[in-house]
Amino acid sequence: MKKMLIGSLASSLLLISGCQVGEQHVNIPSVKAEAEVKNYNVNYDLDVHTEGNKVKVTIAMENKTNDPIPLVTNNGQLFLVKLLKKDGTVLEKEIIDQRDRKQILRKEKVSWEVEFEANIDDEVVVESDLLLKSKKYQKYNLESAVQKEPVIASTKKIETPKIAFAPDKKLIYTYEVGKKEGYIQQEFQNFDGNKVQSFSKQNGVRIYSQESDGIYYLSSSDSVGDIDATTFIQKDEMNKIIPYPLVEGSTWTVGKKKYRLSDTNLKVKTPLDTFDDCIEVTEVDKKVTRYYYYQKDIGLVKIKRARSKFLPAKTELQLVEIKDPMKKQEGKEKKVKEANKK
């Protein structure tokens, strides 16, 4: 699997960097907003590029002083970047954290990047807030907001198919593993047409692809970081996990494993909820039988395992929480505003 992912990635990089017949170079419109942090000459620069429905934001800070600037923040959060409609409606938000960086060295310029998707035929607004704190005993008086003017950029609506058995926006799924083994989180973060990519600290990268004959799946324990693998992973590198059409009794094989669509209309109970319209996929691998339960709008909700046909199947994994990171951030902002009023 490692060789597959790295090989695909290397091929993609060669395509990007090499000269090709018929290659076109497109000038992407760019707009900037500049502001100064009110201290000793620290410049802040916000650069926005748009390409179709993608909005790419680069934030840079340049320390023009002869002293390092400590990055003192709340919860390690450095910037809050917002993408809004012209009427003020928030489309998406991203927090940029300081990661392993604790300071900006003297005369150093550093940058951070985020990417949004604004699937509308209209202009959008990019705003940012600096979340640094100041210390009274230091000479740096760091302000909360450093962007003087909002940045306006044009985007286009691109119609993409809704992939079934997976979310269509950034969500974090939490699964309970057995009863004593703990929990794993699966963070859905990349979406490209018929593909969805998630990342888990425990299990690595997972990609789901909706094809004409079913849903395909690829997993890798390799940590490929922030790489969006949906742009280069192909169907023949993936394994079918759900067949199309959804006909009960359908069978297929993947390597030595045998699969069967054993039910197409189930109610499945988990600690999170009881889900309607679930399907059951049975996997037989040597003497072990697993039952995978998928819900059409959510994806995997439960796995059961049986080591013998004479023993009842036991729950191996089940969904306990679905978290929307955007709503969490909005809740935090509301609490801060209420506290400030008091």
Side-chain angles (χ1 to χ4, degrees), residues 61 70-81 94-103 112 129-133 329 332:
M61 288 185 72
L71 299 182
V72 184
T73 69
N74 288 313
N75 302 321
Q77 297 177 345
L78 189 56
F79 295 99
L80 170 62
V81 189
E94 283 284 352
I95 289 287
I96 298 176
D97 62 39
Q98 62 187 12
R99 299 182 185 273
D100 297 326
R101 176 175 285 276
K102 303 301 180 184
Q103 61 183 356
W112 299 265
D129 293 319
L130 178 66
L131 304 178
L132 284 174
K133 295 191 295 184
Q329 181 61 41
K332 281 186 177 179

Side-chain angles (χ1 to χ4, degrees), residues 6 21 41 76 124 135 225 300 320:
I6 293 176
V21 177
N41 203 13
V124 291
K135 289 187 175 181
L300 182 65
V320 296

Side-chain angles (χ1 to χ4, degrees), residues 6 22 103 107 144 155 163 298 300-301:
I6 293 176
Q103 61 183 356
K107 305 297 183 181
S144 292
T155 58
I163 181 170
I298 293 174
L300 182 65
V301 295

Side-chain angles (χ1 to χ4, degrees), residues 168-186:
D168 59 357
K169 66 177 182 177
K170 294 182 179 181
L171 293 173
I172 300 173
Y173 286 13
T174 300
Y175 292 94
E176 180 185 63
V177 183
K179 291 185 177 180
K180 298 180 180 180
E181 296 180 48
Y183 300 87
I184 61 172
Q185 282 194 332
Q186 187 175 1

Side-chain angles (χ1 to χ4, degrees), residues 15-113:
L15 288 173
I16 293 170
S17 59
C19 293
Q20 302 174 63
V21 177
E23 181 178 308
Q24 293 184 347
H25 298 278
V26 181
N27 292 321
I28 302 171
S30 173
V31 286
K32 289 189 176 183
E34 294 183 353
E36 286 191 357
V37 179
K38 189 178 179 183
N39 58 14
Y40 283 79
N41 203 13
V42 175
N43 286 346
Y44 172 85
D45 180 80
L46 179 72
D47 184 68
V48 179
H49 292 279
T50 60
E51 185 175 8
N53 64 349
K54 304 290 185 183
V55 181
K56 299 179 182 180
V57 182
T58 302
I59 290 177
M61 288 185 72
E62 183 178 7
N63 179 9
K64 291 194 172 184
T65 67
N66 289 316
D67 299 302
I69 297 178
L71 299 182
V72 184
T73 69
N74 288 313
N75 302 321
Q77 297 177 345
L78 189 56
F79 295 99
L80 170 62
V81 189
K82 301 177 186 177
L83 184 71
L84 310 94
K85 292 183 179 180
K86 289 189 294 183
D87 63 5
T89 303
V90 177
L91 294 171
E92 203 169 344
K93 298 179 186 177
E94 283 284 352
I95 289 287
I96 298 176
D97 62 39
Q98 62 187 12
R99 299 182 185 273
D100 297 326
R101 176 175 285 276
K102 303 301 180 184
Q103 61 183 356
I104 302 176
L105 302 176
R106 65 186 185 92
K107 305 297 183 181
E108 183 183 21
K109 185 175 183 179
V110 293
S111 62
W112 299 265
E113 294 183 350

Side-chain angles (χ1 to χ4, degrees), residues 162-219:
K162 165 69 173 72
I163 181 170
F165 301 100
D168 59 357
K169 66 177 182 177
K170 294 182 179 181
L171 293 173
I172 300 173
Y173 286 13
T174 300
Y175 292 94
E176 180 185 63
V177 183
K179 291 185 177 180
K180 298 180 180 180
E181 296 180 48
Y183 300 87
I184 61 172
Q185 282 194 332
Q186 187 175 1
E187 184 173 351
F188 293 86
Q189 47 191 203
N190 294 316
F191 303 83
D192 183 35
N194 65 322
K195 293 186 180 71
V196 176
Q197 177 177 311
S198 68
F199 179 77
S200 166
K201 289 182 180 178
Q202 297 88 349
N203 297 326
V205 174
R206 296 180 176 186
I207 301 173
Y208 302 84
S209 179
Q210 180 167 262
E211 305 293 339
S212 60
D213 62 335
I215 302 293
Y216 283 72
Y217 170 76
L218 172 68
S219 67

